[in-house]
Amino acid sequence: MTRPAPQAGSREPGDTTDSAGPADAQPGSTVARPLRARPGESLRFAVTHSVPAFARGIPAVRPGAVTVLGAAGQPRWSAATLRALRDRYDGAPVLLGGASGDTLVLLDPADVQEFFARPVRELALDAVDKTKMLSVLEPTGVVCSHGNLREERRALNDQVLAHHDEAHPSCGTYRTVIAEECTRLTTGPTLTYARLQRTVERISRRIVLGDQAAGDEELHRWLLALRKEGNWGVVRRGPTPAGRRRYEAATNRLHVYAPHAPASTLIGRARDTACGEDVDAVGQAHHWFLALDSVAAIVARTLLLLAAHPAEQAALHDVPDAPDTTRLQACVQETLRLYPVVPDLLRILRADTTWRGVPYPAGTHVLVPIGFLQRDSDLVPGGSLFAPGRWQAEGADRDTRMAPFSHGEGRCPGDRLGLMAAAEVCAQLLRDHRVTGGRPRLDPCRPLPGVLNAPGIQLTLAHS
Ligand code: HEM
């Protein structure tokens, strides 16, 4: 499925490059030109892919919109649009016009590999729309930063989250927290998403701030309200006065907890790590909460998939110290492949750059629709099926065809921590119980649905 680089000066099939523009070549020049999609194709992409993504909600998912779009078949429309672009342009990178400027869409595995290999200084994470949305809730977060300050913030995140270690040094403490909190989840035969979400929020508070914050639901109410406001970040000019007040209240609360937090908590580790004042060590916690809270949806989907795949669930108990946590982590990774937390990886070019011999100006956005690609059976065999064993193959975690945590310099620094937390919540639930059913009902013999609305998930548990 890899394609050759475009020849200098050549026009690819379907090339409709305008005759004007910074990347356009003079007659006789040997500079290759970008492929620009026709206006109708850009419009189709906006209607079937980008607008639904905003409607679903980033960073706070709107369950109602997810249900409506799922029932209307939106994931299929989006996949059909991307497939049509790939077919028409023979897999080559294609520029689409949009409200925030040009976006170069990458659909070929070789381009995706290149995307992950490029340095973040050149292909930066702080794309315009992403920054507008996230700056409401984490204006000093690493994702919203660039240049030297971004590198310092990333270094702090790497240190606190132990990105380069096999296991987080505090993972023993975090496992105990998860075990304590999960006891309340198995008291009845039915587990609702609301109960799971409340429990995960308590776990997040204890991991980030310690036991002192276990019952601080007010903090979470502010964080959730900020995320909801972040959904409108693209169409508003900065945060509202209420949003500013909430951000200040939540940040002040974090500063109250920070001096008393045990050294094993994330905020304690941030406090004890040397860094410049501009880095805003405490401010990084807004993203840690956002990420840790996503564990509720990941666990709900993983358990629902295991309910629909009883052989996979039974295999977790084929070891003496059941459930098998390595296998459970593979189940979580497979769930994330099918239902990624970040389905679109968006970057921005910080300098004029060439991509496979074709020049693009600084400011061009670059998009890898990884949610589509990692489910595409042409690239990933059995793409729409739940097959966790694929994650146990040598090197699967570094295979750029699948990227639930991204790859390269922009890879999630909390990848191991997030995976551990999600697998551990599942393990606690499956230690003495089996998931025997759930809603919505999934058919394991058919391609899995494109969306699984987490708040609508209900699980049936039976004592084993
Ligand atoms: C639970 C599963 C998780 C998933 C699926 C996940 C996924 C991702 C992905 C795909 C990115 C890259 C986004 C992009 O390129 O636009 C990312 C970035 C990031 N994640 Fe995670 N994440 C998870 C958990 C965590 C946890 C637990 C933390 C911290 C407590 C965390 C902290 C971060 C940070 C700070 C970044 C920004 C990195 C940067 O800008 O260089 N994540 N995550």
Side-chain angles (χ1 to χ4, degrees):
M1 281 295 291
T2 53
R3 70 184 169 80
Q7 295 302 301
S10 72
R11 285 174 82 86
E12 299 265 355
D15 183 356
T16 54
T17 311
D18 297 336
S19 56
D24 198 32
Q26 297 304 310
S29 141
T30 54
V31 178
R33 292 178 301 179
L35 294 179
R36 181 177 287 283
R38 290 176 300 183
E41 290 170 324
S42 293
L43 180 66
R44 179 178 173 192
F45 178 78
V47 170
T48 61
H49 188 90
S50 318
V51 173
F54 288 120
R56 275 198 304 273
I58 314 166
V61 173
R62 299 183 180 100
V66 176
T67 307
V68 170
L69 288 165
Q74 179 271 329
R76 285 197 304 279
W77 315 335
S78 158
T81 299
L82 293 167
R83 241 177 239 120
L85 282 174
R86 189 166 59 189
D87 291 349
R88 179 167 167 78
Y89 297 100
D90 210 15
V94 58
L95 269 182
L96 298 181
S100 304
D102 283 345
T103 300
L104 185 67
V105 180
L106 307 180
L107 296 163
D108 182 277
D111 287 313
V112 174
Q113 210 168 7
E114 174 73 14
F115 174 92
F116 290 128
R118 294 250 176 148
V120 160
R121 265 189 186 268
E122 182 187 309
L123 194 54
L125 275 96
D126 55 328
V128 175
D129 286 349
K130 197 163 43 163
T131 306
K132 280 185 184 166
M133 288 183 289
L134 291 180
S135 59
V136 175
L137 48 139
E138 47 168 316
T140 64
V142 60
V143 194
C144 301
S145 324
H146 60 262
N148 292 341
L149 187 55
R150 180 200 145 75
E151 280 176 19
E152 287 178 56
R153 286 180 173 151
R154 174 69 202 215
L156 176 89
N157 274 274
D158 285 354
Q159 176 73 22
V160 170
L161 304 171
H163 180 47
H164 300 294
D165 297 354
E166 265 315 304
H168 196 284
S170 308
C171 74
T173 310
Y174 301 162
R175 282 206 170 94
T176 306
V177 165
I178 292 171
E180 285 170 8
E181 294 297 334
C182 285
T183 50
R184 67 187 74 197
L185 291 178
T186 48
T187 48
T190 306
L191 176 56
T192 61
Y193 182 74
R195 196 141 59 102
L196 181 59
Q197 191 184 19
R198 272 199 307 278
T199 300
V200 168
E201 285 171 4
R202 269 182 70 92
I203 292 171
S204 302
R205 291 194 294 270
R206 290 182 66 186
I207 288 179
V208 178
L209 303 169
D211 296 355
Q212 56 177 342
D216 192 349
E217 292 183 1
E218 185 177 44
L219 172 62
H220 250 99
R221 276 198 293 279
W222 290 331
L223 298 177
L224 298 176
L226 280 167
R227 289 175 208 165
K228 282 187 183 161
E229 183 171 327
N231 281 351
W232 298 99
V234 174
V235 288
R236 283 202 185 124
R237 279 172 192 270
T240 61
R244 265 196 212 99
R245 278 198 300 277
R246 272 191 204 107
Y247 178 78
E248 227 177 273
T251 306
N252 288 343
R253 186 68 60 86
L254 296 177
H255 278 281
V256 169
Y257 286 128
H260 314 290
S264 60
T265 58
L266 297 184
I267 211 98
R269 288 173 63 80
R271 180 198 58 214
D272 300 341
T273 301
C275 67
E277 212 173 286
D278 286 357
V279 172
D280 186 13
V282 168
Q284 306 306 306
H286 290 278
H287 192 96
W288 303 338
F289 273 116
L290 175 70
L292 281 168
D293 289 350
S294 73
V295 164
I298 299 166
V299 167
R301 293 189 184 112
T302 304
L303 294 175
L304 189 71
L305 285 160
L306 285 171
H309 297 81
E312 289 293 344
Q313 192 173 172
L316 294 169
H317 295 271
D318 284 349
V319 292
D321 193 17
D324 180 340
T325 42
T326 309
R327 215 178 166 114
L328 250 179
Q329 290 204 356
C331 293
V332 170
Q333 282 170 292
E334 182 66 344
T335 302
L336 285 168
R337 183 187 65 78
L338 290 159
Y339 302 104
V341 172
V342 187
D344 281 330
L345 296 172
L346 188 62
R347 303 271 194 277
I348 185 165
L349 289 179
R350 284 277 160 227
D352 294 354
T353 307
T354 54
W355 194 283
R356 299 198 157 232
V358 181
Y360 297 94
T364 305
H365 284 94
V366 183
L367 170 73
V368 169
I370 196 70
F372 161 70
L373 295 172
Q374 65 191 5
R375 235 184 197 251
D376 182 0
S377 293
D378 288 342
L379 303 177
V380 178
S384 289
L385 302 175
F386 181 67
R390 73 175 92 234
W391 290 98
Q392 292 189 286
E394 182 74 29
D397 188 43
R398 303 278 146 187
D399 182 342
T400 54
R401 290 172 307 162
M402 309 184 287
F405 294 101
S406 186
H407 294 287
E409 287 183 12
R411 186 178 170 106
C412 172
D415 53 355
R416 291 205 177 89
L417 177 59
L419 205 50
M420 180 282 287
E424 197 56 32
V425 174
C426 292
Q428 288 302 327
L429 286 160
L430 295 176
R431 193 139 286 144
D432 300 315
H433 292 79
R434 299 289 176 276
V435 191
T436 54
R439 271 192 274 149
R441 214 161 278 290
L442 300 177
D443 181 347
C445 304
R446 293 176 55 81
L448 288 160
V451 284
L452 260 188
N453 193 13
I457 293 178
Q458 193 167 315
L459 301 159
T460 312
L461 301 175
H463 222 282
S464 57

